[in-house]
Amino acid sequence: MPYVMKKYLLYIALFAVSCSKKLDDAYLNPNAPTVVPIETLLPGIIGSMVGASSTTGVSGGVAGDALVIGRYIQYWGDYNGQSNASYIYDEMGGPAFTSATLATIWNGFYFGQGQNLNQVINWGSQQQKWDYVGVALAIRAWGWLELANEYADGIIVREAFNTNLQQFDYDPQSLAYDTCRDVCFQALAYLSRTDGNVSATNLAIGDAFMNGGDVNKWKKFVYGILARSYAYLANKAVYASGDYADSVIKYCGLAQQTNDDNTTAKFSGNVNVSGNNSYYGPTRGNVGGLRQAAYIVGMMTGQNPTFAGVFDPRAFYMLRMNLGGTFQGITPWLGNGPGGGFTTASGDPNFPPNFWGNTAAPQSASAPSGATTGTLDSGRYLFRNNAEFPLMTASEMQFLLAEAEYRKGNKSAALTAYTNGISLNFDMLTQKYALNVPSDQAITPTSEATYLAAVTPAPEDLTLSQIMLQKYIALYGWGVQETWVDMRRFHYNGNLDPVAGTPVYAGFTPPQGQYLYINNGDSLVYRCKPQNVEYTYDIPSLTKIGAMNLNYHTYEPWFNQN
Amino acid sequence: MLLFMLTLAVSWPSMGQQRTVKGTVLDSKDNTPLAGATVQNRRTHQQVQTDEKGAYAIAAQPGDLLVITHIGHKSLHLTVGNAEMYTTQLDIAEGQLSDVVVTAMDIKRNPRELGFSTQTLSGKTIQETQRENFVNGLQGRVAGLSITPTSGQAGASSTITLRGFNTSGVNQPLFIIDGIIVDNSTFDENSNSGTTLGLASDRPNRTSDYTNRIADINPDDIESITVLKGPEAAILYGSKASSGAIVITTKKPALASKLRLSYDDAFRMQWINRFPKIITDFGPGTNGTPSTTSFTDFGPSLPASAQTFDNVHHFFRTGFAQTHNLEGSFGTKASAFRASGSYFDEDGAVPNNNFQRFTFRLTNNTKIGKWVDLTPSATYINEVNTVPTRGSGGYYQDLLVWPATNDIRHYQDASGNRTYALPAADPSVEVDNPLYNTHTNFNKANTYRGIFTLGADVHALSWLTLSGRFGYDTYMTDEFDIYGPQSSQLVSIAGTLTGAYNLKGALENSWMKYHDYNHTIYATAKKKFGDWTVSLVGGTTYEDAEHGTFSVIGTQLISPTRHDSSNTNPATRQRLLQNYFGKYNVSIARNLAYFGQVNIGYKDVAYLSYSQRLEETSIVPKANREYNYPGGSASVILSDIFPAMKRGDWVNFWKVRGALANSARLPDPYLNQSVFGNNYASATGLAYSYGFVNNNPNLQPERQRTYEIGTELTLLKNTLALDVTYYNTYCYNQIAQNARESYATGFVLNTLNASSLRNQGLEITLDINPVRTNDWNWDIQFNFNHAWSKVLTLPAAIGPLNDYYNSDDFVTNGARGGFVRGHSTSTLTGWNYNRNNAGQILINATTGLPEVNQTFLPIGDRNPAFTLGTLNSIKYKHWSLSFLWDLKVGGDIYDGTDMILTEYGRSPRTADRMTPRVVKGVLDDGLQNTANPTKNTIVVNPYLNSTNYYGETTGMPDEEFVQHNVNWLRLRDVTLSYGMPQQLLHKLRVVKSLNVFCTANDLVLFTNYWGPDPAVSGSTAATRGVGGFGYDYFNLPTPMQLNFGLRASF
């Protein structure tokens, strides 16, 4: 028996050893990858720049917030005026602390891109794919600036992406600007490398829907970010003295020059997968309730004093004509309600249809029946499922240049940039956004020239107002965050044009009286509160920066200050 | 048998010559012979076992004390007199009075020496309740055990909790059958964006239900159930038993027994007899304005002439169920067999709800030579469960909001199309007709299961036994979930809800597979040294459990009645991550452990036990993989140390005991590896991005420190037995899984060891035997439980007033189960009234309506003040009557049903809507926190402002729908049975015993609850943490049931 027992004990011991090994075998997750090729990470990161779909990415990107900020800057408003649950944004209000509104930049930056982008940098460096590392850093730099511009001092810079922390401290907006530029220079360094496993063909796998693997375009994008980062500090004393303006001029010269250089997100437009489609398209259905605002319509139809009497042929590309055959826009906080200037609550032929052109029922938030996909997609301009969504254009760079030269007193250079900016925008529309434009209203060289002539003054007569308003038009719909920066820099209609003596944003009327949101206390909106989740988990930090105050959204950001 | 072998090995030689005493042991309930009972002569320590006729023969002399024990029965002491034949009846043990307890590792121990509390129930008792899910029969019978059935539907899952909630992970106990780990999971529908097990549709556990898998077990195969509530379970079974263990011993055939057959059946009728109060006095509309496009009843009163229908009663049917059990056994001297088959078929009270179970089990008991005992068994189970969609948007909600002016019975037109209640016939406006819903939207699961066990005992030396328990548990479930192409039911696809009509119908097909191999190999040594008895147990256990799921959801049904996965448009199909590659998503957990235990007894009056377990798991990273924990217990029989106290028969027995243990608890596999999921951005090929959750590579197992102290007292000639236990469990280093945090982590959710809580309780069991005569016997057992708990720490990100919650428990917008520091684990958090510093409700100064605060603050605690189960068992000759009263006092319930019915204008609280009123509170006018706040005097008329007045966010937050201190007293089970006297049976010759019985379930319910039945749950048993108990959201009430049947043996 003792012998038998020894044998049994030996068996047991052997068994135990084999069991222990089996534990190791079962440790790794067999269901989902813990490591993936960085080529498969970049599409999602790019997707999170504009408007990721749910599941992974939680609606990150500029487009979601643009729908709201577009109301602040009167690109558009909701057709329903005061009856619409979101009218507080038409009134320049800020969201409730628990509301997830105005959080898509936050979501896209921290989560949609967040650790995915970190892994592209991390694994890309290990694999010596320096081009991927450069692209990732370029997107991170862009993100820092977008984040800082929208949330001002309610941002997490130093402690970002630390999974060991449970609460986070906020950093000043200026730190994000510095970080942005620092990352820009890193990005440029990597994008310039040709050693290791750098390959345009391989970059094109991940970059198929942005720059198609062209590192030079990415570099131009990075220079453009640098240009923006200096341009937005025009209120700082050091800008006028030369430093910042010169930087703007320098980087605009290195950034996008032609429409081919434009940084635009593309969409494959597979109707079954919402993330394959533009956030503004009928499949994703996000902009159905929006209507063009009176301010942009006035500017393009000759009613704005700056371009009085000049009809802008771009209107047929960007805006929608009503059943009555005219261009009309809504006052965002009134919509089709009382005082809105439209005769009845529904069916008014003057009421603008939505951006998908639903004329059958102007007061509708849907696309025309059946007109949602493929060749039936009824949207025009950005409002199509597969329309390219610009994030930065050559035209925009010309306007940054125009403003910088103008502020330096180089009016002739400013005028050149100004007209370049306009004609680049015309070209972009005719090249990329001609679909669903009535054929008899297509822009022709003649109509473009006529318009250009009408809005081009003599160099000495050029005004800041003209530059900013043409930029306002050229960025319509997509450059919402950039335009908001501009309008805040000029305090909306608060800063006067030194030449014209009228507000730089001529004809702009912010909501006032009962239509200015009650918590604003007579101030206009200047920043977004941090994302709603912060209001549950980062309350000490919120309190420190005043973000628990109901009028927090009216605090002017650092870039506005002298 | 095992017991016999084990104890034989340690019995001492008899001393001297005696005569042989013969006897028969019968079950007092029905006079059936009890095979396998142990008869021990206390003087000689010799023991024998009864044969299949219950007969035994043992050497004894007059004056000797024979102790007769049988698992599941109370032991009996018999003093040998001059007679040679003794007939003994053993009563079924309801509690701890049984003299043999199967403890951890299938080790049978004398309860005298146990330092912890256990309760044992006989299989017969459980079977007698006629619950198809036998765990439902445990409620009220064990102090500290609570059962929450998900709903009153046939095949519903049930959640089992022992001694409260110790974790936000899995709180359910481990199930052990004959020493083998057996699965009791309920299918979890969450798949974390397809990265884990679960459904492709990835949804919370609230609409479909799947049986909890231990309900597969045929109650008729159960010999006894021992509930290990405290530290002991964890000490030897390890982390899986950190919420206790339920140890099931199955019926075994006896060696050398004749062929024996038995048959029993039961026929059951079932009624839903409790309904929520709804009003049907008003027509459709809002704010007092009639509307033909509105499904809310806030229009003008219905004219007296309006025809209304009693739709609620037209909906339910009389449920019917039948059970048949057939069992046969025989044995030779070396080998015995038992075979049992059962068939159960139930049509529930809800149309299209059916539950079928077929089981077959074969057990063998073989003795090889002198030393080896083998007990193999094989069980096959097939279960089919059809369940209409429940909960939010399910048939019950549809039924309660359906317009009274529309007859639900006309739910289809001649061509089979759905009919509508409103003229617009718009599926986006109205809900489904409830009958249409049950026939169109349902889930059907078909499970095949095999459980194979092998017990081997080698009695190597007189003092040493080597034992092995080997088990293999495997099942497959083939399941579908269909939503009709015309239905308004919301379908979850990747977390987004869309109306089925929009999707042109949806069908999800899923296949789940499970297999678990586990074994325990150990040696037991026992020796006596003078006054000291020492036993040592040492061994190893290994478990390899693998779950897998394959799930496909598609939309645009080709045919509304086909249920195969090709019935959807291929372009719409979504799967779990690995399913795209034709593979199952799997979850593998392997554990290896070594354990040892030393038990020392002194003169049979004092016992000390020390245990140690070293465990290793595949679930956590290698660095944290091994964990090691000790436990100990002690018990002292005071009444034997000081025998003087037994004088006068006041005190017969008094024991004090205590036990403590430190143990661990494991998270789900893979929580330490962040994974990528599919990203749907435009891409040339696959695109990935991280999921919401940061899985933490530094994760460690949760830890738990627990102790209990207790005493057992038997008084007044053994007519009164009292067992009191206090326990205290401190759970720390707990894993906050999916804890919300700032997105600055780069994720939405984080996983970290950060929480702690403490659980305490008092459990009292009192057995009284007030009447004991030859003809009469009356036993009463009280099971009392009072428990309380406190959340101590949570992740720092969660503010002092904020809650940590499980998304499954987030049943409605504004109420959920949440952990809040300093509050009970069963706290309900939800939207509440804004109040001033004095606690007065703030009223909007312009509207006159209360201001709603949409942050989650504690609004209730579901934990009852105490529960008391009272079990009566009365016997008169051949009649026996038993009934169980289940009393619950205190505990809050969130009535989400009423919240929705209020918004629909169907709740009785809206009946007085036409009475203008002033809402009590103070105006939010800047003076609210001064000494003189402005009292609200604004008159509001709910009838004209129904949307705001009754709105969850505008006038009546969820706080309003919490009912505090809900009590219930229910008659759970009552059974009357009659056993044919032996004299009569003798004439029938072949029939050895015959019993007829009638059992009623849930016959009587007294409650102060507003709704129909306070036994509610907002989610299924798959939900982790505290789960959905006390959360009423269109919960089908428990039906009343009546069973009739007979039991016969041949």
Side-chain angles (χ1 to χ4, degrees), chain B residues 687-1008:
Chain B
Y688 292 109
S689 53
Y690 273 124
F692 298 120
V693 189
N694 173 48
N695 287 339
N696 185 339
N698 304 318
L699 219 55
Q700 293 180 10
E702 294 183 2
R703 298 308 298 247
Q704 182 168 313
R705 270 206 301 265
T706 174
Y707 69 86
E708 68 166 62
I709 49 171
T711 185
E712 291 161 39
L713 256 174
T714 310
L715 304 170
L716 305 172
K717 293 189 182 171
N718 291 319
T719 57
L720 201 146
L722 179 73
D723 186 317
V724 182
T725 310
Y726 162 80
Y727 66 85
N728 184 317
T729 306
Y730 170 55
C731 308
Y732 59 105
N733 221 12
Q734 287 191 295
I735 296 168
Q737 188 177 335
N738 297 351
R740 295 206 71 135
E741 232 184 85
S742 169
Y743 281 35
T745 55
F747 293 95
V748 175
L749 306 167
N750 207 347
T751 306
L752 61 170
N753 291 96
S755 318
S756 62
L757 59 86
R758 190 183 294 280
N759 247 323
Q760 294 172 77
L762 184 66
E763 294 162 354
I764 302 173
T765 303
L766 176 65
D767 286 88
I768 306 176
N769 184 202
V771 178
R772 188 165 50 184
T773 69
N774 282 340
D775 287 343
W776 281 95
N777 191 58
W778 182 20
D779 278 312
I780 313 170
Q781 185 183 59
F782 298 96
N783 286 306
F784 171 89
N785 182 41
H786 165 56
W788 62 102
S789 63
K790 197 184 222 178
V791 174
L792 302 173
T793 59
L794 290 176
I798 296 169
L801 283 173
N802 296 124
D803 60 342
Y804 168 77
Y805 65 94
N806 174 335
S807 61
D808 259 11
D809 295 337
F810 205 161
V811 186
T812 50
N813 287 334
R816 63 193 181 202
F819 280 6
V820 181
R821 289 178 193 81
H823 289 255
S824 154
T825 53
S826 45
T827 297
L828 283 165
T829 59
W831 294 350
N832 46 83
Y833 289 114
N834 263 333
R835 291 167 198 272
N836 67 1
N837 294 343
Q840 290 162 301
I841 292 175
L842 292 182
I843 305 290
N844 183 302
T846 42
T847 64
L849 293 177
E851 292 178 354
V852 174
N853 173 21
Q854 291 181 36
T855 54
F856 288 81
L857 298 181
I859 55 173
D861 179 5
R862 295 170 280 172
N863 186 39
F866 69 87
T867 59
L868 178 66
T870 307
L871 185 62
N872 276 278
S873 175
I874 300 167
K875 252 192 299 271
Y876 172 68
K877 290 189 174 168
H878 300 289
W879 290 91
S880 79
L881 172 71
S882 65
F883 50 97
L884 171 65
W885 286 101
D886 178 16
L887 173 71
K888 184 197 89 152
V889 173
D892 306 338
I893 291 184
Y894 169 71
D895 191 353
T897 307
D898 193 34
M899 195 268 287
I900 299 292
L901 291 180
T902 298
E903 290 190 338
Y904 273 97
R906 304 301 289 268
S907 165
R909 70 164 75 223
T910 67
D912 64 348
R913 65 183 73 172
M914 287 179 155
T915 313
R917 68 204 61 182
V918 174
V919 181
K920 200 178 165 198
V922 298
L923 295 183
D924 183 9
D925 57 359
L927 300 173
Q928 64 271 21
N929 283 324
T930 63
N932 292 308
T934 320
K935 202 173 162 229
N936 177 32
T937 53
I938 304 169
V939 177
V940 290
N941 186 341
Y943 178 62
L944 300 174
N945 194 9
S946 61
T947 310
N948 291 328
Y949 186 85
Y950 295 113
E952 188 185 13
T953 59
T954 48
M956 276 193 189
D958 300 74
E959 173 186 353
E960 185 65 32
F961 298 94
V962 174
Q963 188 184 348
H964 296 281
N965 301 318
V966 175
N967 309 325
W968 79 47
L969 175 63
R970 55 173 92 228
L971 186 54
R972 284 256 175 212
D973 312 301
V974 48
T975 297
L976 178 67
S977 72
Y978 176 74
M980 290 282 178
Q982 286 292 330
Q983 304 93 293
L984 271 174
L985 290 173
H986 225 70
K987 293 175 187 161
L988 293 171
R989 280 163 191 267
V990 284
V991 182
K992 289 210 179 69
S993 73
L994 183 66
N995 243 33
V996 289
F997 62 88
C998 164
T999 298
N1001 310 115
D1002 300 292
L1003 199 56
V1004 180
L1005 167 65
F1006 301 106
T1007 179
N1008 59 344

Side-chain angles (χ1 to χ4, degrees), chain A residues 15 24 31 55 161 165-166 534, chain B residues 519 578 586 625 742 744 796:
Chain A
F15 206 57
D24 287 337
N31 300 320
T55 311
F161 311 119
L165 291 177
Q166 295 180 39
E534 299 295 304
Chain B
H519 71 235
Q578 288 302 304
V586 295
R625 183 174 289 174
S742 169

Side-chain angles (χ1 to χ4, degrees), chain A residues 2 16 45 47 51 72 75 81-82 118 121 161 182 193 213 243 286 292 296-297 312 318 341 372 442 536 547:
Chain A
I45 293 168
Y72 292 160
Y75 269 175
Q82 296 284 302
N118 292 349
I121 296 171
F161 311 119
D182 187 35
R193 286 181 74 161
D243 277 18
N286 293 312
Q292 59 207 24
I296 178 74
V297 170
D312 189 334
M318 295 171 161
T372 54
T536 313

Side-chain angles (χ1 to χ4, degrees), chain A residues 138-485:
Chain A
I139 295 172
R140 175 60 50 80
W142 169 86
W144 281 125
L145 199 62
E146 294 298 319
L147 189 77
N149 289 339
E150 188 155 323
Y151 303 103
D153 299 324
I155 52 175
I156 296 149
V157 181
R158 285 165 302 163
E159 294 177 344
F161 311 119
N162 185 339
T163 54
N164 294 320
L165 291 177
Q166 295 180 39
Q167 287 194 301
F168 295 84
D169 287 334
Y170 294 134
D171 294 306
Q173 195 181 32
S174 57
L175 182 65
Y177 266 67
D178 293 343
T179 308
C180 164
R181 291 188 195 120
D182 187 35
V183 178
C184 278
F185 294 120
Q186 291 176 42
L188 289 169
Y190 282 108
L191 288 167
S192 303
R193 286 181 74 161
T194 51
D195 60 322
N197 293 315
V198 170
S199 149
T201 323
N202 188 50
L203 181 60
I205 297 171
D207 184 26
F209 289 85
M210 186 65 91
N211 284 325
D214 186 340
V215 284
N216 287 320
K217 285 188 187 172
W218 280 106
K219 280 201 230 171
K220 288 174 181 168
F221 177 57
V222 176
Y223 288 122
I225 298 165
L226 286 165
R228 281 179 180 173
S229 78
Y230 290 105
Y232 295 162
L233 304 181
N235 289 351
K236 305 271 176 211
V238 68
Y239 182 96
S241 67
D243 277 18
Y244 288 180
D246 286 345
S247 296
V248 177
I249 293 163
K250 174 185 170 190
Y251 292 123
C252 281
L254 294 165
Q256 294 91 336
Q257 305 303 312
T258 67
N259 280 316
D260 188 46
D261 293 342
N262 290 355
T263 309
T264 66
K266 288 103 181 158
F267 302 94
S268 58
N270 175 352
V271 290
N272 289 315
V273 185
S274 66
N276 282 183
N277 292 283
S278 170
Y279 195 79
Y280 287 177
T283 287
R284 294 190 68 175
N286 293 312
V287 303
L290 295 182
R291 294 296 184 278
Q292 59 207 24
Y295 186 57
I296 178 74
V297 170
M299 210 179 293
M300 298 183 83
T301 56
Q303 288 149 55
N304 189 291
T306 315
F307 310 117
V310 185
F311 180 81
D312 189 334
R314 290 175 291 181
F316 278 99
Y317 288 71
M318 295 171 161
L319 304 178
R320 282 287 179 174
M321 189 177 254
N322 54 32
L323 278 175
T326 60
F327 285 98
Q328 302 263 7
I330 61 164
T331 305
W333 53 92
L334 298 175
N336 65 349
F342 298 95
T343 52
T344 55
S346 69
D348 183 343
N350 291 324
F351 197 71
N354 66 17
F355 289 108
W356 303 317
N358 194 345
T359 52
Q363 275 80 12
S364 165
S366 58
S369 177
T372 54
T373 57
T375 52
L376 297 174
D377 187 341
S378 59
R380 61 171 77 139
Y381 190 41
L382 309 171
F383 306 100
R384 296 177 55 78
N385 285 333
N386 60 357
E388 290 188 19
F389 194 102
L391 288 157
M392 188 184 284
T393 64
S395 165
E396 182 198 347
M397 292 300 115
Q398 290 301 312
F399 287 113
L400 291 181
L401 184 63
E403 186 191 349
E405 295 285 15
Y406 187 89
R407 286 182 186 267
K408 283 184 65 106
N410 305 328
K411 295 206 169 176
S412 146
L415 186 70
T416 308
Y418 169 78
T419 52
N420 282 347
I422 298 169
S423 61
L424 277 166
N425 183 240
F426 268 82
D427 295 348
M428 181 178 92
L429 291 175
T430 54
Q431 287 161 17
K432 291 276 171 67
Y433 301 102
L435 276 165
N436 288 340
V437 173
S439 55
D440 56 342
Q441 299 296 344
I443 291 170
T444 62
T446 320
S447 65
E448 183 181 337
T450 310
Y451 178 78
L452 213 50
V455 299
T456 309
E460 61 277 16
D461 296 334
L462 181 67
T463 63
L464 208 49
S465 196
Q466 286 168 320
I467 296 170
M468 297 318 295
L469 292 192
Q470 281 299 335
K471 186 181 177 193
Y472 182 93
I473 297 170
L475 270 60
Y476 185 71
W478 61 268
V480 176
Q481 277 84 356
E482 312 313 318
T483 303
W484 191 35
V485 172

